[in-house]
Amino acid sequence: MQSSETTQPDSHLPLKPAVFLVLLALAEEEQHGYALASSVRDLSGGKLKLATGPLYRHLQRLLDDGLVEESDRRPAADQDDRRRRYYRLTELGRDVVAAEAVRMADLVEVSRSLELLGAQGKTR
Amino acid sequence: MRTEPAEPDSSFRRPRSVRIYRLLLRAYPVEIRTRFGLEIYEAFDDSLEEATGKGRLDVARLWLVTLSDVAQVILSRRSTIHSSLGARGPQGPPPIFDPHGSPPRKTKMLDTLMQDIRFSIRGFRHAPAFMALAVMIVALGIGATTTVFSVVQGVLLRPLPYADSSDLVYLGTSWGDAVPTYTSRPDFIDWKERLTTVESLGAATLQTIVLAGDGDPQRVMVSPVSRDFLSALGVAPALGRAFVPGEFETGQNDVALVSHGFWMRYWGGDPDVLGQALRPEAGPDARESYRIVGVMPAGFQAPEVLGLAETEVWVPLPMDEGAYATSRTSRNLRVVGRLASGITVDAARQEVAALQAAMIEEYPDSYAWRDSTVGIAIASLHEQTVGESGPALWTVFAATGLLLLIACANVANLLLARATQRNREIALRAALGAGRGRIVTQLLTESALLALTGGVVGMLFAFVGVRAFVAFSPVDFPRLATVQVDVGALSFAFALSLLTGLVFGYAPAMLGSRGALISTLKEGGNQVGFGRSSAFFRSSLAAAQIALALVLLVGAGLLVNSYARLLAVDPGFEADGLLLMEVDLGDPYPEGEQRAAFFAALLGHIESIPGVESASMVEYLLQDFAMWAPNVILEGADEETPPSFPAHVVGPAFIETMGMRLLRGRDFSTQDAGGAPPVVIVSESLARTLWSESDPVGQRMRISQSADAPWLTVVGVAADIRRGRVVYDPQPELFVPYMQFPYFDWTQVLIRGEVGAGAIRGSAGGSPAALAGPLSQALLEVDPKLPFDGVITMKERIASGLESSRASTFLALSFAVLSMVLAAGGIYGTMMYAVGQRTREIGIRVALGATSSSVVRLVVRQSMVIVGAGIIVGLVGALLLAGLLETAVFGISPTDPLTYLAVAAILGLVALVAAYLPARRASRVDPLTALRAD
C-alpha cells in the first residue's frame, strides 16, 4: 500500500529532468523500454541520451512509486516478443507530470517577469 | 518452411555483445535485474543495432556510455551498501563509545577509497585538458616501456622452446673468436666420443629438395640429422615414431619425419600420412623416395641460430657417406648438445679447450688457418641465438626507462601546477577536519588513477609499438616472430603504472598537503610552500628535457637525412623497371653445356613475353663480397702474383638490361656463346687500374693461371656500379658471358620491361605480380620440374640491404619524437605552474593596465629562457656526441649545420606552442578575481 504522502502529486516534485522527460514520453503513448529511450532523446532535442542502465533504474523507481505501471497491451502477434513489456502512466503519474509542468510554467513566468528570458546568453 | 538467410553482420556481433553486457549488468542491484530480466538486454540490443546501423563511432560511443554508467553504479553502490549497513545498526543512533558498533575497518577503508576515486573522477572532469595531457604523457612512457619490455621478454628472457633449454649448447669450429660455427663429420665423431661434460651431441645439416605439389613444384628444406640431434633438443614425433638406430646406416636411411605444418599442407592433417612416400623431383642425392614415419609436434622449429628454422622434413644422416665422411675441412654440420647434469657452460668450456689443444696436435693440417689455427667453441644455445641483439636491446630498454622517468617528472610537474590551483580547496578540506594523511591519500589516489588510465592507454600503444618494432627490424633479428604483448607484458605495464603513479604522485601529494597545514585560507593565495630553489629545479628539469630531446632529435635527423641519401644513391644502373627472378638448377644439370642451353632457352622464352624489353642474368650482384674473384693476367705481363678482381658471370644484353652506361665497345650478345671467341667487359675503374689511359677495347687477358687458359678479348667498358650495400664505393670488376663460363647452377634472371600500366616500372605504382604468372609459365615450359621461387623488384632488393639502417633510423626517430613530446609537456607543466604562482602578480599588472598580449609576451619570454638554455646545452651535447654517429651516417657530416638548425627550429617551435597555452591562460586572468582571491 502506498502511504497518503506518496499519493500526493506534489510530494514527488521537483522531478529530475530525465524522469520528467520519461514521464512526458509516456504521457504521449505507451511504450516499451527501448522506444522510451528514443522518445526521451527526441523530446530533449537530442540532448539527453539515456543509456539502458539508467533508463531501467528510473523505470524501477517510477514503478515503485506508482507513477508508472506495466501495460497489458501487446503488439501484433507476428511482432510479439515476450521479453518486451510496455509501460504507461498511472493516474498518479499523470497528475505528477502535470504538477511538474505547472511548477515549471510558474518558474518560467517568474523568469519572464524578471526579464531574464530576453537576456539569454548574456548572463555572464 | 524456408529459413531466412542470416544477416552475417548482426548475427555475428549480437550474442557476444549481449553476453558482455550481461556480465556488466552484474554490477546492477539484483532487484533491477530480476525485475526487468531479459528485457534490459533486449533494449540494449536494440540500441546496439541502431548504433551499428550508424557506424563504428556510434557503437564505440554506446559502449563508452554503458561502461561509464556501470562504473558509476559500482561506485554509488558501495556507499549505499555502507550506509545501509549503518542504518541496519541494532539500536538506533550509535552510542558514543561502542567498540563493536562501528562498521568493520576494512569496509571503511574501501569506502574511503571509493569516495576518493569518485572525488578524483569529478576533479578530472573539471580539468579535461590537464587530464588528457597527463594521461597522454603517462601513456607514452608506459607504452614505450611496455613495447620494449615485450621485445626484451620475447627475445631475451623467454627460454628457447625446447625441454630444459638452458642446458642446450652450440658446439663448433671457431675462427679466431669464441663463436661456434659449422663442423666436419670426423671432428663431430671425435668430439662426441671424447667430451664428457656435454652429452647427447647431435648434428644436422641442410639441403633443399623439390617436391611436385599440386601442379607447381615446391622447394622444401630438408635437414639430415644425426642420431641424437632431435633427442638432444628434447623433442619426439607427435605422430608415428622417431628414427631407429638402423636407419642411420647408408641404404637404410630412406625414411623421413615431417613438420606439423608440412603435414597439414600436403596431407591436410590426415593420420594416414604414416608410410606414405615423399618423392623429390630434384635435390642432392635425390632418392627414389622417403617413407614418412612420423610427424613432429605442432610449433616445433629447429634452432634458428643454426639456420634450420625453416626445415620441414628431417631425414637420417649417415656418418659414413660420401666425401664428407673423411674430410676434416668440409665443415657443414651444426652441432648441438646438452650439458651433463650439474655442469655449467664455463666448466664445459674448460674441457673443450683441452679438446681443442689435443685436436690441433693430432690434426695440425686440418686445424691450420691463416697464420694460426681454428679453434673449438662452445656457447649456450640461447646466448648464441640472441647474439648481439642482447646488449643492444638492454640499452634500448634502459633508454626507455629514462624516458619513463622523464615522463614521471613531467606529470609530477603538472600535478604540482594543479596543486597550486587547488590549494584553497585543499585548505578548505583541512579546515573542515580532514587530516593530512587523509588529504595525502586523496591526492595519491588521484595520481594512481591517472597513472592507471595512462597505463591502459599505454598498453594500447604497446600493441601498436610491438607491431611497428617487428615491422621495422631487420629480417635476421633473432626470435622476432614470436614477440607479442602477452599477459606478462600487460602485468608489467599494470605494475609499472601503479609504481609511476606513486613516483610522480608522491612529491605533489606531500607538498600539496602541506598547504593544508599552514592555514592558506586565512593567509590567502598561493603560498603553498614551494621555495625559489624548487622553482629553479623545475626550470632546470624542463631545460634538461629540451636538451635531451634536442640531442635525440639531432641524431634522428642525421639518420633520417642519411637514410634518404642512401635511398637516393645512384647505383650506376637503372633500378626502376628491373625484376629479379632466382633460378636454382641443382642436380639435373651437372654439365656446363646443359646449363648454358637451359638459360639460353629460358631467356628466349622470357623475351617473348609481351612487355618485356630485355632479359639477362647474373650469378649474384647485390652483395658485399664476390662469389668469384679470379686472378687476372694481362697479355704481355709477367707477374709473379697476378692481382685478383671480382668477376660476374652474366647473360647476353647484360649492360642494356641492367640499364648501365656503356662507355666504350659493345654489350654481350647471344653470339658470345660456347664456340665463339671468349670475351670480357671491364668496369670503368678496372680499365683505369689495368690500362690507365689507353683504350682497353681489344686488349686481351687470362682469368686463370693455367697454361692452357683461353685469352679473353675486352669488348666493352661499362661505367662503375655500386653493388652490395650502396654505402660502399664501386669496385674494379669484370664481366664474362655465362654461355662461355657456365660455372654456376643458380643465378638470377634479370628482366626489364613494362607490362600493362607500369607493372614493373616504378615499384611504388606497379606490382611485379603482373609478370609473375608469365615468368613462371616460361620456366614451366623450359623445365616443368623446376620450382618457381617468385620475383622481386630490384628496388625491393636494394631496400632490403638497407634494413639495419632503416631499423636504427626508425628507433632513433621514435625516441626523438617521444622525447620531444615529453619535453613539450615539461615546458607546459612548468609554465602552467609558474603562471599559477604568479596569478596575483599578473592580476596586478593587468589592473595597472597591462594588455593581454603583453602578459602573453611576459610568460612566453620566461619560457623561452628555459627553452633557449635547453637548446644551447642540447646543441653542445649533440656536437660532442656527433662522433658516435660517424660510421652510422652516409653522405652527410655528423655535424651537418643544416640538420642542427632545422631540428633546433622545430623543437623551439613545439616548445613555443607548449608555452603559449599557459601564457594565454595567464592573459585571461581577471584582475578582480586574482586580487580578491587573497
Side-chain angles (χ1 to χ4, degrees), chain B residues 274-488:
Chain B
L274 299 181
Q276 300 271 0
L278 205 59
R279 267 192 201 84
E281 296 286 339
D285 47 41
R287 265 166 249 290
E288 283 293 284
S289 70
Y290 298 99
R291 190 162 41 88
I292 297 177
V293 297
V295 178
M296 299 305 278
F300 169 71
Q301 192 187 39
E304 60 179 85
V305 68
L306 305 181
L308 300 175
E310 277 154 37
T311 312
E312 296 199 292
V313 175
W314 293 268
V315 298
L317 171 67
M319 281 294 149
D320 55 357
E321 203 181 57
Y324 283 115
T326 50
S327 162
R328 277 186 195 272
T329 49
S330 301
R331 300 179 165 101
N332 72 339
L333 290 188
R334 292 91 159 153
V335 179
V336 292
R338 243 172 214 289
L339 292 171
S341 85
I343 300 291
T344 63
V345 177
D346 282 332
R349 196 167 282 136
Q350 291 188 1
E351 197 194 10
V352 168
L355 173 71
Q356 172 184 324
M359 296 299 288
I360 291 172
E361 193 163 326
E362 286 170 51
Y363 304 100
D365 291 346
S366 319
Y367 278 71
W369 176 58
R370 293 192 187 157
D371 302 333
S372 171
T373 59
V374 297
I376 309 175
I378 184 171
S380 127
L381 190 63
H382 181 265
E383 227 167 80
Q384 212 50 46
T385 303
V386 170
E388 288 169 2
S389 71
L393 271 183
W394 285 120
T395 310
V396 173
F397 195 41
T400 349
L402 186 69
L403 271 191
L404 185 64
L405 275 182
I406 296 176
C408 282
N410 279 341
V411 177
N413 229 342
L414 280 174
L415 287 176
L416 275 176
R418 195 166 136 79
T420 58
Q421 287 160 14
R422 289 176 59 181
N423 59 51
R424 282 173 63 84
E425 167 208 323
I426 290 169
L428 184 68
R429 297 182 63 201
L432 292 176
R436 186 174 182 195
R438 187 73 190 72
I439 290 174
V440 169
T441 317
Q442 160 65 28
L443 292 175
L444 279 181
T445 307
E446 269 189 38
S447 47
L449 208 60
L450 191 69
L452 284 179
T453 316
V456 170
V457 181
M459 289 178 203
L460 298 181
F461 284 175
F463 279 102
V464 182
V466 164
R467 276 197 197 171
F469 192 98
V470 172
F472 279 93
S473 292
V475 196
D476 56 0
F477 199 94
R479 306 187 74 191
L480 268 192
T482 52
V483 166
Q484 54 181 346
V485 182
D486 58 7
V487 178

Side-chain angles (χ1 to χ4, degrees), chain A residues 34 53 57 64 84 87, chain B residues 28 32 35 39 46 50 73:
Chain A
Y34 171 65
R57 280 207 303 280
D64 284 348
R84 219 161 238 182
Y87 301 94
Chain B
Y28 277 70
I32 286 200
R35 186 159 191 173
E39 192 185 342
D46 284 342
E50 187 191 326
V73 171

Side-chain angles (χ1 to χ4, degrees), chain B residues 75-91:
Chain B
L75 292 172
S76 64
R77 271 189 84 190
R78 277 233 55 96
S79 48
T80 331
I81 289 169
H82 178 47
S83 56
S84 64
L85 265 182
R88 254 181 240 149
Q91 58 275 70

Side-chain angles (χ1 to χ4, degrees), chain A residues 33-34 41 51-54 56-57 59-60 63-64 81 83-85 87, chain B residues 21 28 31-32 35-36 38-40 42-44 46-47 50 65 69 73:
Chain A
Y34 171 65
R41 190 181 54 205
T52 315
Y56 278 96
R57 280 207 303 280
L59 265 181
Q60 184 199 19
L63 285 163
D64 284 348
D81 185 334
R83 282 178 281 183
R84 219 161 238 182
R85 278 179 264 184
Y87 301 94
Chain B
Y21 187 62
Y28 277 70
E31 313 95 74
I32 286 200
R35 186 159 191 173
F36 296 104
L38 292 173
E39 192 185 342
I40 301 187
E42 183 73 22
F44 177 75
D46 284 342
S47 335
E50 187 191 326
V65 168
D69 174 54
V73 171

